[in-house]
Amino acid sequence: MLSHDLFHTLHQLSRHLTNKLNEALKPVGLYGSQWAVIFVLKKKGSLTQKELCEYLFVEAPPMTRTIQRLAKQGYVVQVPGKDKREKHVQLTEIALNEYPKWEHAVMQMNQSLLQYLPETSQEELFNLQNGWLQLLIK
């Protein structure tokens, strides 16, 4: 029965964190799903939509909508790849200029959520989550 409680708590925590992220990003005109794409593109550079889907564990239709919204806002462009069917998504100059403001909003939220969790617990939690994630990815 512990596994039911564990997964229920993880789901509740995930939903709560998603809501907090959306609240933090609302003043800068983004949603958490958009931030996830922007963050990955900033970290990894230009990626195909398929690569974004695989990395973020998101299905193609919602990813397409997110990319379209970001493109409409002027934050991403799609550039043809080597194969004409393949398009790479990359951040625009506008997004790169706005990125520090977005990152600041996210970092403030992160700090407020972690203020009651000692740093050693944060490291332990990260290691547990990351280890579990790596096992699931394989």
Side-chain angles (χ1 to χ4, degrees), residues 94-119:
I94 295 168
L96 293 171
N97 289 334
E98 293 292 316
Y99 188 88
K101 178 173 67 174
W102 301 331
E103 185 179 43
H104 180 72
V106 173
M107 293 301 290
Q108 278 188 309
M109 181 217 53
N110 290 347
Q111 292 305 317
S112 72
L113 293 173
L114 290 173
Q115 67 181 328
Y116 302 110
L117 194 61
E119 196 166 325

Side-chain angles (χ1 to χ4, degrees), residues 8 32 70 85 95 101 105 112 118 123 131 138:
H8 178 74
L70 288 170
R85 295 170 293 172
K101 178 173 67 174
S112 72
E123 290 173 17
K138 290 181 180 180

Side-chain angles (χ1 to χ4, degrees), residues 35-47:
W35 167 250
V37 170
I38 289 168
F39 179 78
V40 171
L41 291 174
K42 177 77 165 110
K43 182 177 171 185
K44 296 188 169 280
S46 174
L47 295 173

Side-chain angles (χ1 to χ4, degrees), residues 56-67:
L56 293 171
F57 304 105
V58 175
E59 292 183 16
M63 181 60 73
T64 299
R65 287 190 296 272
T66 299
I67 291 170

Side-chain angles (χ1 to χ4, degrees), residues 18 21-22 25 29-41 47-50 52-53 56-78 89-92 95 102:
T18 298
L21 180 60
N22 284 332
L25 290 170
L30 291 178
Y31 289 99
S33 57
Q34 294 170 308
W35 167 250
V37 170
I38 289 168
F39 179 78
V40 171
L41 291 174
L47 295 173
T48 65
Q49 181 173 326
K50 183 180 178 187
L52 280 166
C53 287
L56 293 171
F57 304 105
V58 175
E59 292 183 16
M63 181 60 73
T64 299
R65 287 190 296 272
T66 299
I67 291 170
Q68 287 172 345
R69 280 190 207 115
L70 288 170
K72 190 174 181 179
Q73 290 171 293
Y75 298 146
V76 300
V77 291
Q78 292 183 312
V89 182
Q90 63 186 41
L91 295 177
T92 63
W102 301 331

